[in-house]
Amino acid sequence: MAKDVIKVDGEETVVREDTAKAYRGTIWALISVAAFVVIGAILFFTFFGGSLGDGKLESPKAIDKQRQ
């Protein structure tokens, strides 16, 4: 059985190779999900932040009346 070293809480731990791959895969999955959430929040506040801050929400009907 092949052994591999992973860092857990700052300490190096010797584990089996499949356990090390699963551990690294889990870490990368969590990082990917966190990055997705951060990017989603940035996009949300970029596109909708202006309407949240100005205090007035207008319906499409009201916008059409202003154009005329």
Side-chain angles (χ1 to χ4, degrees):
M1 242 187 255
K3 300 288 183 180
D4 206 349
V5 178
I6 60 173
K7 284 191 176 184
V8 179
D9 295 329
E11 297 179 16
E12 292 184 350
T13 306
V14 178
V15 294
R16 292 189 332 228
E17 185 178 7
D18 61 334
T19 304
K21 285 182 181 180
Y23 179 78
R24 287 189 206 105
T26 303
I27 297 299
W28 277 108
L30 291 174
I31 290 171
S32 298
V33 169
F36 180 77
V37 169
V38 168
I39 291 169
I42 290 170
L43 289 174
F44 175 80
F45 286 113
T46 299
F47 291 109
F48 297 112
S51 66
L52 294 174
D54 64 2
K56 60 179 183 177
L57 297 174
E58 297 180 354
S59 67
K61 186 176 181 179
I63 293 171
D64 285 340
K65 282 186 178 180
Q66 288 177 353
R67 288 183 190 167
Q68 296 174 351

